[in-house]
Amino acid sequence: MTRFSFNLVSERNDTRKMDDSLGGMFKLTGSNYSVWKSKMRDMLVVKDLWLPVQFGDKRPDKIDATIWEVMHMKTTAYIRCFIDMSLYNNFNEESKAHELWEKIDIMFQNKNAANQVSVFRKLVRLRYQDGSSMAEHMNAFQGLIHQATSLEVPLADEVLALFLLGSLPDSWETLVVTLGTAGPDGKRLSLARVKSSLLDEEARRKEKDISSDSKALLTESERGRPRNRSPQNREKSGTRSKSRGRPTCFYCGKPGHFQKNCRH
């Protein structure tokens, strides 16, 4: 496993642990801002705390000024609950939700060339391992796409589809060639089509593996099973064997002796 693959697995495991302890949300660190931002926004919407971030100082007319101030306080407090202690002191003074949100964005969403190149490298190095979950692989891929989008990196849909196909091992080459060939309708390659095809292919391979395992077990069972004959066949066979082994008298017709030894 490459160092990059190990980092992805480690980050995914850490996220799962924090999901369990924080009710489905995880804390912001120095490396997970892109996915944290998306999930944090969803959490604020669910908790009815997104309005202070969305409107900032422009209070909606239907909301009282005091209530609006309390909403800002609740939103900033809630956001800070999901900031790692190693970063907490950078964001502990903001009292306005939109200001806190913007400050976090400025700190981590630096749209410079170095960060853009970093995302490209991660896309190129991302590799799918045979036997692992295709859904998880595509989730990791989509996370990198979100990072590229937030960094304002222009990536056409067809290019993203090619990146995803390029992450597959050689054992998927037949599917890659098939998808790369334009169909009779002349439609170009799309990311949605590639994702659907990969999930279908994964399901087909799993079904094939199950079928192969079942046949192998059946063959092994048949090889180890003794070829027993039915009791009737054994009885008939035994009778024939006994009959063949004992002579029959031609005078009296009884088995067990010859005519010259017959006492009848």
Side-chain angles (χ1 to χ4, degrees):
M1 183 181 292
T2 64
R3 179 179 297 180
F4 176 70
S5 300
F6 177 80
N7 289 339
L8 282 178
V9 173
S10 178
E11 181 176 334
R12 191 180 301 126
N13 291 337
D14 290 342
T15 299
R16 285 174 176 171
K17 291 178 182 178
M18 288 185 284
D19 280 345
D20 295 336
S21 61
L22 299 176
M25 187 55 192
F26 50 91
K27 292 191 175 184
L28 173 65
T29 63
S31 61
N32 65 354
Y33 174 67
S34 181
V35 63
W36 178 90
K37 179 180 179 180
S38 179
K39 291 206 68 175
M40 190 72 252
R41 180 173 56 242
D42 291 342
M43 293 287 287
L44 292 175
V45 171
V46 171
K47 297 290 186 179
D48 293 327
L49 297 174
W50 178 245
L51 287 180
V53 177
Q54 182 179 10
F55 289 96
D57 291 326
K58 299 178 180 179
R59 175 177 56 87
D61 296 335
K62 61 180 180 180
I63 300 179
D64 180 77
T66 302
I67 295 177
W68 186 242
E69 184 177 354
V70 172
M71 289 182 66
H72 269 280
M73 294 174 61
K74 291 180 65 175
T75 303
T76 54
Y78 191 74
I79 293 174
R80 277 193 283 263
C81 287
F82 299 101
I83 296 177
D84 191 78
M85 286 304 300
S86 61
L87 303 171
Y88 185 84
N89 290 332
N90 295 294
F91 311 107
N92 64 347
E93 295 181 355
E94 283 70 28
S95 60
K96 298 292 185 180
H98 63 290
E99 293 176 355
L100 174 59
W101 192 260
E102 290 172 1
K103 186 174 182 179
I104 296 173
D105 190 69
I106 291 173
M107 182 172 181
F108 292 101
Q109 203 62 58
N110 193 351
K111 303 177 180 64
N112 56 37
N115 287 338
Q116 293 172 340
V117 170
S118 176
V119 173
F120 267 109
R121 285 176 176 170
K122 290 178 181 179
L123 280 170
V124 172
R125 293 173 182 171
L126 185 66
R127 289 290 179 269
Y128 172 75
Q129 301 293 330
D130 275 323
S132 59
S133 170
M134 180 58 70
E136 289 188 2
H137 176 69
M138 290 194 298
N139 184 61
F141 178 79
Q142 195 64 43
L144 294 176
I145 294 177
H146 289 161
Q147 290 185 37
T149 302
S150 62
L151 291 172
E152 299 180 359
V153 177
L155 290 172
D157 185 75
E158 187 174 6
V159 174
L160 293 175
L162 292 173
F163 268 122
L164 183 55
L165 288 177
S167 69
L168 300 175
D170 294 339
S171 57
W172 292 66
E173 188 65 22
T174 302
L175 180 65
V176 172
V177 174
T178 302
L179 291 175
T181 305
D185 53 3
K187 289 184 178 180
R188 305 182 71 178
L189 194 64
S190 68
L191 182 59
R193 177 188 168 198
V194 170
K195 285 183 175 181
S196 177
S197 298
L198 294 185
L199 291 174
D200 290 342
E201 176 66 11
E202 180 188 38
R204 187 191 69 80
R205 292 189 177 204
K206 286 182 178 180
E207 184 177 352
K208 182 180 178 181
D209 290 342
I210 293 175
S211 177
S212 299
D213 291 343
S214 299
K215 289 181 180 179
L217 289 173
L218 181 60
T219 302
E220 184 178 349
S221 176
E222 290 177 346
R223 286 178 179 174
R225 182 185 306 163
R227 297 183 178 180
N228 296 328
R229 291 171 291 184
S230 65
Q232 294 179 351
N233 289 337
R234 288 198 301 271
E235 183 177 349
K236 291 180 180 179
S237 176
T239 302
R240 286 196 297 269
S241 298
K242 291 178 181 179
S243 298
R244 292 193 195 101
R246 301 176 64 189
T248 301
C249 178
F250 291 111
Y251 179 76
C252 67
K254 295 182 179 181
H257 62 275
F258 294 103
Q259 182 178 352
K260 65 180 181 177
N261 299 321
C262 185
R263 297 179 180 180
H264 296 280

